[in-house]
């Protein structure tokens, strides 16, 4: 569940950074890295999607070597646990890896083209059923969101990521909904206006021109051919489309419902999606037609060095995890890779690995399509809050992270140290 809580979280500024967290980089346009510390078991929550997360532990190799194989009883008892608090670190770790997705795997464009144009009865039936199952899945997720059964889910498309969030936002007693589209084009915004759907562009995008109906048709045809590339744009918008600056925000049940209507009818409304497979749905809880999904995991044991490089060439120092003095001679690393790794997986693994005070470092790679989604933090909370109300008691929700993404996270002596990079 999304960590929407009410209680204030405690945050300490890093000794080397006396300015308030976020003030030196937020919306500044400088891609400098900022660092801050959190005392106690406080884990920062990042709404962006990851493609890889690497965890390195050099303080207790024997403890985390067990993560290389699932616990013997995990297959039987993993999902029946009502809470992971009383479970072993090993079971916590494997429980945290799971997400629910539909479809289980995406079809390449060449296969979609064959299925969509096939005159064969079986092929046509398969393709129509896949589309219908997807619509049923999205409908299931959306009504679970409205009924407080699921507090967050993602719709991953070929052009953008849509994030839906529900809860007592900004500490209000009445449940509400918000949604975001990670990046947009002029054609999509014109379509929303044509359907009288209100939205804002909170990351600095400014729309100058409103397209008439004839322009809308032309724009959608261009996007259909070029996946969103627009020509002859006004100078103020030419560098906005298909970037995080063009992120769209939808607030309130009515506007979120309207975005949902656009997405569930995407075959009729979003013509630029023609030739693509159905978007992928991600949620932390089961929904209709969903399957359980676990990212690919690689475990390695290495000798201690001054630094461990995550790139194959070892030449990019920005990809290096520094090993501080005092660690033992062996290091154990766990690397998760997938097309998409959602935030509840990242949070869950951090929580499991820090159990018992074990030190580790982690390096994250963010999916570029999801950059900007941390702007949701400003709607979820108005100040630093924890996520105790939603079952993630150690999660920190800080609106200052709204203009950045987590790059590294370290845990040592009970303290988390986060490195964040601005997105603009």
């Amino acid at each position: 569940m999304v960590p929407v809580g009410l209680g204030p979280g405690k945050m300490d500024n890093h000794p080397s950074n006396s300015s308030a967290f976020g003030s030196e980089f937020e919306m500044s346009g400088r891609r400098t890295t900022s660092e801050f510390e959190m005392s106690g078991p406080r884990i920062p929550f990042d709404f962006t999607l990851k493609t890889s997360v690497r965890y390195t532990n050099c303080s207790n190799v024997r403890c985390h070597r067990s993560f290389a194989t699932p616990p013997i009883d995990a297959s039987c008892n993993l999902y029946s646990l009502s809470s992971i608090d009383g479970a072993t670190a090993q079971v916590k770790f494997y429980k945290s890896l799971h997400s629910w997705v539909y479809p289980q795997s995406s079809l390449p464009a060449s296969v979609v083209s064959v299925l969509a144009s096939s005159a064969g009865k079986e092929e046509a039936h398969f393709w129509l059923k896949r589309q219908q199952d997807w619509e049923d899945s999205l409908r299931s997720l959306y009504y679970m969101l409205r009924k407080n059964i699921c507090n967050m889910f993602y719709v991953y498309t070929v052009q953008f990521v849509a994030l839906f969030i529900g809860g007592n936002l900004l500490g209000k007693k009445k449940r509400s909904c918000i949604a975001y589209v990670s990046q947009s084009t002029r054609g999509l915004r014109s379509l929303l206006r044509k359907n009288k759907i209100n939205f804002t562009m909170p990351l600095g995008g400014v729309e100058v021109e409103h397209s008439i109906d004839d322009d809308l048709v032309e724009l959608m045809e261009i996007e259909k051919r070029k996946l969103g590339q627009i020509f002859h744009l006004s100078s103020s918008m030419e560098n906005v489309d298909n970037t995080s600056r063009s992120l769209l925000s939808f607030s309130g049940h009515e506007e979120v419902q309207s975005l949902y209507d656009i997405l569930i009818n995407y075959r009729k409304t979003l013509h630029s999606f023609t030739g693509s497979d159905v978007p992928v749905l991600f949620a932390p809880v089961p929904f209709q037609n969903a399957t359980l999904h676990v990212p690919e995991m690689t475990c390695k044991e290495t000798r201690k060095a001054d630094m461990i490089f995550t790139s194959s060439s070892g030449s990019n120092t920005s990809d290096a995890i520094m090993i501080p003095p005092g660690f033992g001679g062996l290091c154990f690393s766990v690397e998760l890779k997938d097309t998409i790794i959602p935030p509840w997986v990242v949070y869950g693994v951090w929580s499991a690995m820090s159990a018992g005070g074990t030190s580790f470092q982690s390096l994250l790679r963010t999916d570029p399509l999801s950059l900007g989604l941390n702007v949701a933090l400003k709607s979820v909370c108005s100040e630093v809050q924890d996520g105790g109300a939603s079952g993630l008691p150690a999660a920190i929700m800080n609106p200052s992270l709204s203009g950045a993404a987590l790059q590294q996270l370290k845990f040592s002596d009970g303290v988390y140290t986060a490195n964040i990079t601005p997105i603009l």
Side-chain angles (χ1 to χ4, degrees), residues 182-200:
S182 64
Q183 57 187 37
S184 64
T185 62
R186 189 182 182 191
L188 175 59
R189 296 188 295 273
S190 296
L191 173 67
L192 295 172
R193 288 196 185 92
K194 181 182 179 182
N195 286 275
K196 299 182 179 180
I197 302 173
N198 295 323
F199 62 87
T200 60

Side-chain angles (χ1 to χ4, degrees), residues 139-193:
R139 186 177 296 106
S140 166
L141 270 176
Y142 181 70
Y143 284 102
M144 288 169 64
L145 184 83
R146 295 292 298 266
K147 294 179 181 179
N148 200 22
I149 300 173
C150 176
N151 278 4
M152 171 174 57
F153 69 87
Y154 290 82
V155 183
Y156 192 91
T157 79
V158 294
Q159 294 181 17
F160 57 77
V161 181
L163 166 62
F164 288 77
I165 301 174
N168 300 327
L169 308 177
L170 292 174
K172 297 179 180 179
K173 293 183 179 181
K174 186 176 180 181
R175 183 175 175 82
S176 184
C177 294
I178 53 176
Y180 300 89
V181 170
S182 64
Q183 57 187 37
S184 64
T185 62
R186 189 182 182 191
L188 175 59
R189 296 188 295 273
S190 296
L191 173 67
L192 295 172
R193 288 196 185 92

Side-chain angles (χ1 to χ4, degrees), residues 102 132-142 281 287-290:
Y102 184 85
Q132 184 60 56
D133 287 347
W134 183 87
E135 292 177 9
D136 293 341
S137 297
L138 179 58
R139 186 177 296 106
S140 166
L141 270 176
Y142 181 70
L281 306 174
F287 58 93
Q288 187 171 345
N289 300 319

